[in-house]
């Protein structure tokens, strides 16, 4: 995240506009003018990062204070969409404006259409993190159980499977028999998305996109006015 | 809508593939082969139109029956977005994949950006119908009360106003004092959209788009799996 000195009071060793780039627990570049300010900024950055919201904090020095504007810039989330389906394509279109990159997973090369990229053949080719959201758009695809097992062992923050409980139930049962607990299995969101009642691929994609955003903000997706 | 003969039993005066184009209560083109089938199809079309879903019905004739596939093709809905705001622009992007044309209403020409078209200066320039959905994206715009009064007197099927109850309340009070009933005022949806928790223009637009689709299908939004 960026930490920028936006106000200087007294005569501390810092000028308005001095800036650091801080990855909490990682790389640091730039300086606010002295080791004390830099150390204080790195410490503050941990807090600000956890909050996710920009903040201005006052840092103290014997010669004067500075106000530092911290702006967390979390990496854009990534949506991993399994299976090249019409809904997968509409999801790419729906998530684009939200700054969410969509990566398609499809081992069946004959299903991949021009414009479907980036595509990987296997989920195992991806380095999964808690910035990833995963959606399975075809409960009849090969290796659904294995895909779900891999996702449940990963830190991805959202796992959704399109389809009714009737379709997804057998996979859940199979995963339970492989030792996944009910708590682990509860991560699988299915039926997936918000109840918009639409049936076309773009309506279904909108329902999933809206649900993913609601999940990001821990909301229930119901009407704001009802 | 189209009404197409898809099966013929016996020897009625009709061939598979015979087709009519029927606007319920309006123009009729083509024929299913005789006046009796055509009259029966026009009558059936009213029902099918009301249901909104495609249906196959059997039409009878002394010489034999035919099965006719009725496919209602309602005109694409139109979203009327009042005020040239960032949310208005994101709404256009969100509604496009759903086949919904967005018409912007903005009298302040200095607010209109390249790419905002089609734009009209006044709601009064539009021929409003029950295929229109209207969204006010700026509760501080000039003439909000007049705009809402015009929408409430129109057949538009959705009227939404962005903003908190605190912002919208005074307009509702003013409209009530002008004689609008509580039932009429209940058409105004505000705060607008589904509760996704997002704050950026594209998240807000997604919340509104999802809400409009939920309203089309008379659903409450909300998670499908919770």
């Amino acid at each position: 995240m960026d930490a920028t000195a936006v106000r200087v009071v007294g005569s501390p060793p810092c000028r308005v506009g001095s800036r650091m780039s801080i990855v909490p627990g990682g790389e640091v570049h730039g300086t606010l003018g002295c080791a004390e300010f830099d150390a204080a900024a790195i410490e503050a950055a941990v807090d600000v990062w956890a909050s996710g919201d920009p903040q201005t904090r006052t840092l103290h020095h014997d010669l004067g204070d500075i106000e530092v504007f911290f702006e967390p810039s979390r990496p854009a989330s990534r949506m991993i969409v399994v299976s090249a389906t019409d809904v997968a394509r509409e999801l790419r279109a729906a998530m684009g404006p939200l700054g969410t990159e969509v990566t398609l997973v499809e081992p069946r090369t004959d299903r991949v259409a021009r414009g479907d990229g980036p595509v990987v053949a296997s989920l195992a080719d991806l380095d999964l993190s808690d910035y990833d959201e995963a959606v399975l758009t075809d409960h009849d695809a090969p290796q659904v159980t294995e895909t779900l097992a891999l996702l449940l062992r990963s830190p991805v923050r959202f796992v959704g499977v399109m389809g009714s409980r009737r379709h997804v139930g057998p996979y859940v049962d199979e995963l339970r028999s492989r030792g996944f607990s009910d708590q682990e299995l509860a991560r699988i969101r299915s039926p997936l998305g918000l109840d918009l009642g639409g049936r076309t691929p773009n309506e279904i994609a909108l329902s999933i996109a809206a649900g993913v955003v609601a999940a990001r903000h821990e909301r229930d997706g119901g009407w704001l006015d009802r």
Side-chain angles (χ1 to χ4, degrees), chain A residues 2-3 39 42-43 57 62 70 93-94 102 109 117-118 122 127 132 135 152 160 169 188-189 196 216:
Chain A
D2 281 345
I42 290 167
E43 195 184 326
R57 295 197 173 199
D62 287 347
F70 293 86
V102 170
T109 50
S122 166
D127 184 24
D132 291 321
V135 171
L152 291 181
I188 300 175
R189 308 291 305 262
L196 309 184
R216 287 178 188 173

Side-chain angles (χ1 to χ4, degrees), chain A residues 14-29:
Chain A
C14 178
R15 288 188 195 169
V16 168
S18 294
R19 176 171 294 163
M20 296 177 75
S21 160
I22 304 170
V23 176
E27 287 189 31
V28 173
H29 296 283

Side-chain angles (χ1 to χ4, degrees), chain A residues 191-198 203-204 206-208 210-211 220-223:
Chain A
L192 179 58
L194 301 188
D195 184 13
L196 309 184
E203 287 173 319
I204 293 166
L206 181 68
S207 150
I208 297 171
D220 70 1
W223 280 107

Side-chain angles (χ1 to χ4, degrees), chain A residues 10-211:
Chain A
S11 49
C14 178
R15 288 188 195 169
V16 168
S18 294
R19 176 171 294 163
M20 296 177 75
S21 160
I22 304 170
V23 176
E27 287 189 31
V28 173
H29 296 283
T31 179
L32 294 177
C34 73
E36 286 144 287
F37 280 148
D38 292 355
I42 290 167
E43 195 184 326
V46 176
D47 260 18
V48 176
W49 185 259
S51 82
D53 292 320
Q55 286 178 33
T56 298
R57 295 197 173 199
T58 303
L59 305 185
H60 305 287
H61 189 279
D62 287 347
L63 297 172
D65 295 346
I66 60 174
E67 287 182 10
V68 179
F69 176 63
F70 293 86
E71 196 165 32
S73 51
R74 291 172 176 261
S77 57
R78 174 173 63 168
M79 181 177 276
I80 293 158
V81 180
V82 181
S83 298
T85 63
D86 287 344
V87 171
R89 294 173 185 117
E90 296 290 342
L91 262 176
R92 182 192 302 283
M95 299 306 294
L98 297 161
T100 300
E101 179 202 343
V102 170
T103 296
L104 191 64
V105 178
E106 179 57 86
R108 300 165 291 184
T109 50
D110 57 314
R111 300 226 173 179
V112 178
R114 197 182 292 266
D116 275 349
V119 183
V120 298
S122 166
L123 203 59
D125 296 343
L126 297 172
D127 184 24
L128 300 174
S129 81
D130 61 351
Y131 291 110
D132 291 321
E133 294 153 332
V135 171
L136 277 65
T137 63
D138 179 5
H139 50 72
D140 290 326
Q143 307 279 314
V144 167
T145 309
E146 290 68 24
T147 300
L148 284 170
L150 205 155
L151 288 170
L152 291 181
R153 285 191 209 101
S154 82
V156 301
R157 62 178 171 186
F158 187 95
V159 181
V161 184
M162 280 179 60
S164 63
R165 287 186 200 285
R166 185 170 60 82
H167 285 120
V168 179
Y171 298 114
V172 172
D173 292 343
E174 167 71 13
L175 290 164
R176 190 177 285 113
S177 76
R178 292 194 192 183
F180 284 95
S181 69
D182 284 348
Q183 194 185 342
E184 288 171 311
L185 293 169
R187 284 177 67 197
I188 300 175
R189 308 291 305 262
S190 188
L192 179 58
L194 301 188
D195 184 13
L196 309 184
R199 293 182 196 170
T200 64
N202 49 48
E203 287 173 319
I204 293 166
L206 181 68
S207 150
I208 297 171

